[in-house]
Amino acid sequence: MKNNKIMSLSVVIGAVLWCLAAWVVQQFGFSVFNGNDANMFMMLLSSVPSTLVFLWLIKLLVKKTYSQLFEPVVIITTTATLLDGIAMTYFREIFYHSQYLISLRGAAWILWGVGIALLLSYILVPKSEKLSVKKTSLAVILGIAFWLNGAIVINQMGDYILTDNNNLRSVGLLIAIPVTVITVIIAKYLLGLPYSKMVKPIVLMTLTATFCDTIALTWFQSLYSNSTDIAFHGAALILWGAGLGLLIAYYLEKVSIQNAK
């Protein structure tokens, strides 16, 4: 299958998986995302085998080997997280749930799923194409640092821009674009890599941050806000930022490779 067709198909798969995840939150949220820690833990645990099944299905659809699934999975998760960021910000009651706690835990579960999908796809990458141990460690540290920075921003600014029916939430989504570009640039220089090799470290940073976000949003919500609606809109902004980071890194990598030819 040609690259353009794989990209288009991956975008479609990402949209379908976004719809499926939103449907799960909407239909089963009251039963599994109602604040019961045991139920939430089981949902997080079950994400691993379910993601493995999705990877198998993706492999069949894009007609690639497991070691070639990294790029399709990046496109799929980019699509899904961007759609989540928009839908959670503007259409929560339509696509997710009317109760903020259920929507918040649903968002945490989705973030976890994104991290699992990216992690498994990276594990499947041939060893010769992986980052060195040093750069992998640095990417993980940067992921934790940027996660912490995001949590602090939400904690300090949430009351002003992330309250329900606040038009400044749209401003937050727009501001996230240049902020994410700057983040990618900073990561590039700290890692000492060209743009043509930045997708993998951004993926490692993103999956690290999503794991941290899932744990914090589920069990340490006060790191973001004591208000559930602010924490939820913070989660929406996080998902949007995760998608932007993957998209920008992917775009810069492709342009860099194209210009080098």
Side-chain angles (χ1 to χ4, degrees), residues 48-68:
V48 178
S50 60
T51 303
L52 286 170
V53 172
F54 282 128
L55 288 178
W56 174 72
L57 291 173
I58 292 166
K59 171 182 174 291
L60 295 180
L61 290 170
V62 301
K63 298 178 181 178
K64 293 282 189 179
T65 64
Y66 283 115
S67 63
Q68 297 172 318

Side-chain angles (χ1 to χ4, degrees), residues 75-230:
I75 297 171
I76 289 166
T77 52
T78 299
T79 303
T81 50
L82 290 175
L83 288 171
D84 274 315
I86 295 295
M88 287 181 181
T89 300
Y90 300 109
F91 311 107
R92 172 181 57 86
E93 293 189 16
I94 296 174
F95 292 107
Y96 302 95
H97 203 278
S98 59
Q99 293 187 25
Y100 270 113
L101 175 61
I102 292 173
S103 294
L104 174 62
R105 290 217 161 185
W109 170 67
I110 290 170
L111 278 161
W112 181 262
V114 168
I116 292 293
L118 291 173
L119 176 61
L120 291 176
S121 68
Y122 183 77
I123 289 173
L124 292 170
V125 170
K127 187 175 181 180
S128 60
E129 297 177 20
K130 286 185 171 75
L131 297 176
S132 66
V133 174
K134 181 179 179 180
K135 292 190 184 302
T136 297
S137 301
L138 180 54
V140 170
I141 292 170
L142 289 173
I144 295 172
F146 286 123
W147 158 72
L148 185 58
N149 182 66
I152 291 171
V153 169
I154 292 169
N155 183 281
Q156 295 298 310
M157 302 298 295
D159 288 334
Y160 304 102
I161 63 173
L162 295 175
T163 52
D164 208 13
N165 299 319
N166 189 333
N167 292 329
L168 289 179
R169 285 181 293 148
S170 299
V171 176
L173 295 181
L174 290 174
I175 291 175
I177 299 173
V179 169
T180 306
V181 171
I182 293 170
T183 299
V184 173
I185 293 172
I186 291 172
K188 171 190 179 297
Y189 283 102
L190 289 176
L191 288 160
L193 292 170
Y195 286 118
S196 59
K197 295 183 179 179
M198 276 304 294
V199 169
K200 288 185 177 70
I202 292 298
V203 162
L204 290 173
M205 289 168 57
T206 301
L207 69 88
T208 301
T210 56
F211 288 152
C212 291
D213 277 312
T214 297
I215 293 168
L217 287 168
T218 301
W219 290 291
F220 307 99
Q221 180 196 312
S222 60
L223 283 173
Y224 303 88
S225 175
N226 290 319
S227 172
T228 306
D229 64 323
I230 292 175

Side-chain angles (χ1 to χ4, degrees), residues 1-19 54-55 57-65 68-83 117-118 121 247 250 254:
M1 191 179 291
K2 293 183 179 179
N3 288 336
N4 287 341
K5 288 185 177 180
I6 292 175
M7 183 181 295
S8 300
L9 180 57
S10 298
V11 170
V12 172
I13 294 171
V16 171
L17 290 179
W18 161 71
C19 287
F54 282 128
L55 288 178
L57 291 173
I58 292 166
K59 171 182 174 291
L60 295 180
L61 290 170
V62 301
K63 298 178 181 178
K64 293 282 189 179
T65 64
Q68 297 172 318
L69 286 182
F70 181 76
E71 184 172 335
V73 169
V74 169
I75 297 171
I76 289 166
T77 52
T78 299
T79 303
T81 50
L82 290 175
L83 288 171
L118 291 173
S121 68
L247 177 63
Y250 183 81
K254 290 300 178 184

